[in-house]
Every structure is written in structure tokens, then in C-alpha cells.
Amino acid sequence: MQRWRGLEDIPQDWGRSVVTIGSYDGVHRGHQLIIGRAVERARDLGIPSVVVTFDPHPSEVVRPGSHPPLLAPHHRRAELMAELGVDAVLILPFTSEFSKLSPADFVVKVLVDKLHAKAVVEGPNFRFGHRAAGNVQVLAELGETYDYDVEVVDLYVSGEAGGGAPFSSTLTRRLVAEGDVAGAREILGRPHRVEGVVVRGAQRGRELGFPTANVETLPHTAIPADGVYAGWLHAQGEAMPAAISVGTNPQFDGTERTVEAYAIDRVGLDLYGLHVAVDFQEFVRGQAKFESVEALLVAIGDDVKKARTLIENCERASG
């Protein structure tokens, strides 16, 4: 899959394509319907499919300080889109100047002059252009002038997550913030993932017999509520069952919020300086302060047992 950052990265000889545009944070199951349909249309027409997305999130430019917690960084979104069969991803730097483009100017500058769109696939609530003045009807009207057609795909999937509310990035962020990683997993179609570099912490886990990878998370990452979780630690191409702790370590009067993953039944791991990923499968318990270090050790041992069982049950269910 080709990855372009900015319009100038698009090959000069780029021909017609099928395009879909959106933030697509998380590439959740609703997004997958739209992107999947764009890929299908492109294959039917014998031309490439392109996803257009933005960096930073448009809200940060339009309303500084309002950047939402991100469910997936751009490189992860690109990986997920590649798995769906997308041929190219275009990340457009979203600037104040870019935000002032009218819907018609956006269509000409991006869809017509650069991507030569033959078809555009969007969800029903798609908005674009200055002050979000453009919608799918405006997009279709402009398509009559510029020789592309518009297909609107209903992205509203729902299930048990969020009490039956339609799946969305906003709902997923809320569930993650509440620690409902099982609900987030239903919406995403996979566990919520947090990434970053392993850095040296206080090394108390090592002293207690449970060495953890202290993950310095990427900016604006959506981090689950404080507590203990079962999941996986991905490092050096390997997925290791893990007990994951999120919080401030109140047992030792900590103040800095951290994400730490203990690779269950693994000895001698040295991950310092490596970029790793942590997948959150199930909630185990909330953050707590215990009467003594001995009581904490008993709780950690219990956490690891519960995490191991949850992961084994998940593996049996998926196998």
C-alpha cells in the first residue's frame, strides 16, 4: 500500500481512483463498512482505492486544545486499512489555511486535480469544507460537474457496547475512558491498542518479582481508566499474554499516570528502548491501595492468575 503525506506526494501520473475521506480514528466496524465498500468499488472498476485522512485532528485546528484522545495513531490506521485492501492512504496536513477551503475548492484541489476521483464513498454524516458546510448532497452535486459519483454507506452498526448505541469513535473513546475495554473491543472488532517506547520507571515491579514494561505512550493516546487489565504485550514480532496496570501507583504515593505491562510467565525480557504495543482485552479490577506491600503482592499474584485465565478463555474462543 502506498502512503502519501500531502498532495505533493501523489504520483504525477496517478489515474482515476475511488476515494473515501474521513478521520477514521480507530478504523472501527462502522468505518470498515465504508472503507470496505470503497475497496470493492475500486476493484469492480479496475482502479485503485484511496483513503484521505487528516493530521492533526481537524478539531485541534478549528478549536485549539480540543484534540480528542486518539484510538489509533496514523501508522496503525494505515496498517488496518491495508488489511482491508486499500491501495493508498493520503494524510493531509490540516492547517488553518486548509480549514478555510470551501467545499467546492476542497473537491477541486483534492478529489479532482490530484486523485482524479471516479467515485467517492462516504457515510451519511460526512461533512467537509470551511465550517463543515459541505455534506454528501453537496458532494454529489459537485460530482455532477466534475465527473464522479457518490455512494453513501450506512455505517451505523450497533451491539451490546454502550447499551446498544450506534458504534462510533466517540462512543469507543468513552468506553475506553471508563475501562470498558470489552465494549471497545466489540466496536473496534479487535482489542484497543496503546503504543509507545519502553522506558525505565521506578523498577518496583522488578523488585517485587513482577518486572513490567513501562510504556511511554504516544501523544493524545486514548488510555483506559486506572486499573488492571488482561491483554497482550507485542514486542519484537511476538504477542505475549500480559497483566496490564494503568494508573498512578498509589501504593507508593505515585502521581504520574503510567501504562505498565507484565509479560506472564516470561523471564529475562529486556525491552528498554523498544517500540511496543499493548492490547487491552478484559478489565480485571480497579486501581487500589493496599494495607501493606505484602497485601499488594498477594493482589498482584491474583491479578496475574485472573489475567492468565481470561486470556486462555479468549484464545480458546477464537481458536
Side-chain angles (χ1 to χ4, degrees), residues 81-92:
M81 291 170 184
E83 291 174 6
L84 294 171
V86 172
D87 295 300
V89 172
L90 168 62
I91 300 174
L92 288 176

Side-chain angles (χ1 to χ4, degrees), residues 201-202 204 214 223-229 244-260 285-289 296:
R204 291 196 182 93
N214 187 349
I223 297 174
D226 292 353
V228 177
Y229 300 84
I244 307 152
S245 173
V246 178
T248 57
N249 204 340
Q251 193 71 33
F252 300 98
D253 300 320
T255 57
E256 184 180 350
R257 200 159 180 254
T258 60
V259 175
E260 300 179 60
R285 67 167 173 85
Q287 180 176 258
K289 185 173 182 176
L296 170 64

Side-chain angles (χ1 to χ4, degrees), residues 97-112:
E97 180 184 4
F98 189 86
S99 74
K100 294 180 172 63
L101 288 178
S102 69
D105 286 343
F106 176 91
V107 163
V108 171
K109 189 177 180 70
V110 179
L111 295 179
V112 179

Side-chain angles (χ1 to χ4, degrees), residues 173-244:
R173 292 185 194 107
R174 178 171 70 78
L175 294 177
V176 168
E178 292 172 353
D180 185 359
V181 294
R185 187 179 74 244
E186 183 189 6
I187 297 173
L188 295 170
R190 63 184 184 279
H192 175 59
R193 174 171 291 188
V194 167
E195 298 185 35
V197 173
V198 177
V199 297
R200 293 190 184 276
Q203 301 207 325
R204 291 196 182 93
R206 187 174 300 277
E207 293 167 5
L208 296 172
F210 295 93
T212 60
N214 187 349
V215 183
E216 187 174 63
T217 56
L218 301 175
H220 304 298
T221 295
I223 297 174
D226 292 353
V228 177
Y229 300 84
W232 284 268
L233 172 63
H234 296 262
Q236 298 177 308
E238 184 179 1
M240 296 170 275
I244 307 152

Side-chain angles (χ1 to χ4, degrees), residues 150-190:
V150 174
E151 180 174 349
V152 179
V153 176
D154 184 357
L155 80 166
Y156 295 117
V157 187
S158 63
E160 295 182 10
F167 291 171
S168 68
S169 296
T170 300
L171 174 59
T172 311
R173 292 185 194 107
R174 178 171 70 78
L175 294 177
V176 168
E178 292 172 353
D180 185 359
V181 294
R185 187 179 74 244
E186 183 189 6
I187 297 173
L188 295 170
R190 63 184 184 279

